Amino acid sequence: MDLAQLFQLGASGLAVGGVYALAGLSVALVYRAARLFHLLVGEGLALGGLAMAVAGAWERGILLALLSGLAVGGVLVLLARWLRGREVAEVIVAFLGLSLALKNAFILLFGPASRPAPSPWPGVWVVGEVAVNRTYLVVLGVVALLVVFTFYLLERTWIGRRLEAVAEDPVAARVLGLPASLLQGLALLLAGVLGGMAGALLAPLYYASPTLGYLLLLKAVTAAIVGGLLSPLGAVVGGFALGLAESFGGFFASAYRDALVFGLMLLLLVFFPKGVVRERTQTRV
Amino acid sequence: MLRVTPFFVALLLGLALGQGKICVLADLTGTGAQDGDLFRKGAELALKEVGLPYAILDSQSSPQGAVTAASRALNQERCTALVGPSRSTTMRAVIPLLKEANRAVAFTQATSVLLTQEGRGYVFRLAASDAVSSKAFAQVAEELGAKRLAIIYSNDAFGRGLYELFRGETRAEIVAAEAYTSGSRDYTAQLLKARGAELLVIFGTFSEDAAALARQYRDLGLRVPVLANKVFITSVTQQLAGSQLDGFYVIADFYEGANPQAIRFGRNFRMAYGLAPDPNSSGAYDGVKVYAEALRRAGKPDLEEVRKALLGLKNYPITSGLLAFREDGEGIFEVSLLRFQGATARFVKQVRVR
């Protein structure tokens, strides 16, 4: 592998990994706030991507994806209330059923066809032997902004500190007079928005389609689990690690890329069963 | 006064031909839904012309879906001809059912050599097989003067099968052979291996993958010439990739301007649907038309009689060339070489395999 190949594989791995990171962060936030596996993350991604494609212009697309993310977040809020205290099997069936219904609704609304989506900075950036899609740079920039915003909200604000208390022990948080339902709702709305934005960022690279999310559900959940389901930082690390592993794994063994990447993730889980990044709440006494 | 429309005449003709019924097995859902929709449209256009009774069933882009649809077609619909499934993996899955039912023939443009070997007497191919295509690819690569080849293929029965056959045919050095999983959409790693080759040969299965490959080829600033298979000229690929296909050579068994039948089909398809015809729609169209012709010659939908009629077709014109079935069900031995100028594929020449 020469330097040019290293740079190009790194750029594509980071851009796609950034999208996985956002999707993984969405999964981790939902789990942290409501102890639910966010199996609708794929549909959130697909809707965000379709919003970008339908909008026709990037700025409008981002706005539409934001709104679609809020809508998915709203559905998560309703689901969290409805499924509170239910058996795991019931929760999984509810999520899978809704996922299937949404996928078919998207096909009815938008048709089965893949659609190209606009890029804010089309074209290729060429330096010597290296050519990099400029959209990668935009994706990385937006991912960085969203991740910083999310962590600022979680770590440095009143909302974040109380959300952590709710995540740790919702009953105790209610007893202490914290608005647990409101905080939980905010976290779920944020998770929906992150999923929608991930789809909007991916659509210019992968095309938008109602089945886009199906491809990415496994990746998002893997990123979150490998990183540590209770750890937003872990989900981000997991997402980037997955993107880079796919990119470089494909270069060394293209036919076995998925087997190689998911084998590696499995190995990580053997050594780090609670995820590679430990969350503070897990270690506190 | 009763207006005698061409459709009415076709319907009467169809009734006069006996109880022959066509079942169209199209991928109406799943990963191949876009191509499947065009396949259905192509079949419907021909069905309007021939006036035979028919049913359209969803093969769901999967072998399991194809088996369910074929089972219904043979046992409930009592069809005497299947048009589709359109992919090798799905067509191969229905062959045991065809043999067990022993009442229908199947037409396909799927290209695996196994289909006519395993389905001999039941499966009739209306496109160049992988064996024919691989020879044509090797011939064209040689004519383009390429001595060092990079190959990218979809890691499924179709892509891998075509790659293996091509590897046996070409005399050029293969400097890289990279597989990809359909739907993975990021092909940077595979494309980067093409640097240093004199020709990049691509064997793709699904249109969305082909479009993504074309776009990423541009993104990476690659200049190596590309010779690709027919999935690069489907309507879906052209719509998604547009001028990113500029300069690509494509070997295909259907091109709208290649012969009078293709021109006529293209015109009628555009008039009916406002869409460009492609190998999916033309394959389904040919399947219906060829069965109707065989049924006309046989006089009844009896399997043996229809088989004899099919084998009696000599240089029968269809959209992919002149059809002449061998005993094994292979019927087409030529392909078209096309080259994209901007977003438009132009005919270069007809390639007959040596």
Side-chain angles (χ1 to χ4, degrees), chain A residues 96-128:
Chain A
L96 290 180
L98 193 57
S99 159
L100 207 61
L102 283 174
K103 199 176 295 153
N104 284 298
F106 296 163
I107 290 174
L108 278 176
L109 274 172
F110 300 101
S114 291
R115 296 156 178 254
S119 164
W121 197 14
V124 181
W125 179 53
V126 184
V127 180

Side-chain angles (χ1 to χ4, degrees), chain A residues 184-242:
Chain A
Q184 191 185 56
L186 281 175
L188 297 180
L189 286 176
L190 177 61
V193 168
L194 290 173
M197 295 304 281
L201 292 173
L202 197 64
L205 299 173
Y206 278 17
Y207 305 119
S209 75
T211 51
L212 180 69
Y214 171 74
L215 301 170
L216 296 166
L217 170 66
L218 188 62
K219 313 273 173 84
V221 172
T222 304
I225 291 177
V226 167
L229 256 179
L230 285 165
S231 163
L233 177 64
V236 173
V237 171
F240 278 110
L242 186 60

Side-chain angles (χ1 to χ4, degrees), chain B residues 276-292:
Chain B
D278 75 342
N280 291 297
S281 47
S282 68
Y285 179 85
D286 283 338
V288 172
K289 296 284 280 189
V290 167
Y291 180 68

Side-chain angles (χ1 to χ4, degrees), chain B residues 15-351:
Chain B
L15 291 172
L17 286 173
Q19 315 82 15
K21 182 175 180 181
I22 296 175
C23 275
V24 178
L25 271 55
D27 293 337
L28 301 177
T29 54
T31 46
Q34 279 182 267
D35 290 338
D37 186 52
L38 292 163
F39 188 85
R40 177 184 62 81
K41 287 184 164 83
E44 282 178 343
L45 187 65
L47 287 162
K48 274 183 197 160
E49 291 178 19
V50 303
L52 285 170
Y54 68 93
I56 294 178
L57 305 169
D58 182 8
S59 43
Q60 299 170 36
S61 311
S62 71
Q64 299 91 321
V67 166
T68 307
S71 175
R72 190 177 148 193
L74 296 166
N75 301 318
Q76 285 168 257
E77 301 288 347
R78 311 289 293 168
C79 282
T80 51
L82 305 188
V83 173
S86 58
R87 298 183 199 285
S88 295
T89 43
T90 45
M91 184 71 234
R92 198 173 170 204
V94 310
I95 289 173
L97 277 79
L98 280 165
K99 287 181 173 174
E100 193 185 318
N102 197 35
R103 66 194 319 272
V105 287
F107 298 94
T108 187
Q109 83 269 37
T111 55
S112 167
V113 289
L114 295 173
L115 301 181
T116 47
Q117 287 169 10
E118 294 175 4
R120 192 183 174 100
Y122 296 92
V123 176
F124 291 83
R125 196 190 321 266
L126 303 165
S129 70
D130 287 346
V132 173
S133 291
S134 61
K135 285 188 171 76
F137 267 93
Q139 275 177 224
V140 172
E142 201 173 320
E143 286 167 19
L144 292 172
K147 295 199 168 47
R148 290 163 56 79
L149 307 179
I151 302 167
I152 296 178
Y153 59 94
S154 57
N155 201 9
D156 52 26
F158 168 70
R160 187 170 277 276
L162 192 50
Y163 159 63
E164 296 288 351
L165 286 167
F166 175 72
R167 198 174 60 168
E169 293 291 342
T170 185
R171 285 181 288 187
E173 180 193 358
I174 296 173
V175 295
E178 300 296 318
Y180 69 85
T181 306
S182 283
S184 49
R185 301 280 170 90
D186 182 8
Y187 309 114
T188 309
Q190 289 87 342
L191 286 162
L192 284 175
K193 291 281 184 76
R195 280 202 178 136
E198 291 166 1
L199 183 69
L200 169 60
V201 179
I202 306 179
F203 302 128
T205 303
F206 289 103
S207 302
E208 285 90 341
D209 296 327
L213 275 160
R215 204 204 59 231
Q216 285 163 28
Y217 168 90
R218 296 281 165 217
D219 288 350
L220 291 169
L222 297 177
R223 289 188 189 88
V224 53
V226 175
L227 175 63
N229 69 324
K230 65 181 177 182
V231 74
F232 280 75
I233 61 151
T234 63
S235 304
V236 176
T237 306
Q238 292 192 58
Q239 188 193 340
L240 289 174
S243 59
Q244 285 160 334
L245 293 161
D246 182 42
F248 280 32
Y249 288 99
V250 176
I251 283 181
D253 40 42
F254 170 75
Y255 172 65
E256 197 180 347
N259 59 57
Q261 285 67 41
I263 293 168
R264 192 173 72 86
F265 165 68
R267 191 177 55 234
N268 292 344
F269 192 81
R270 281 174 195 277
M271 271 172 56
Y273 303 109
L275 294 169
D278 75 342
N280 291 297
S281 47
S282 68
Y285 179 85
D286 283 338
V288 172
K289 296 284 280 189
V290 167
Y291 180 68
E293 177 62 18
L295 192 57
R296 189 187 68 78
R297 293 187 184 199
K300 56 183 176 177
D302 173 74
L303 180 61
E304 256 327 298
E305 296 300 320
V306 169
R307 267 185 198 144
K308 276 184 202 159
L310 286 169
L311 294 174
L313 295 173
K314 296 293 171 217
N315 292 330
Y316 181 74
I318 63 173
T319 64
S320 53
L322 295 173
L323 187 71
F325 283 120
R326 291 190 315 211
E327 283 287 334
D328 62 1
E330 296 290 355
I332 293 286
F333 304 95
E334 59 186 320
V335 292
S336 299
L337 176 65
L338 316 171
R339 189 173 192 202
F340 274 95
Q341 284 176 2
T344 310
R346 308 269 183 212
F347 183 70
V348 178
K349 65 174 185 171
Q350 205 66 11
V351 181

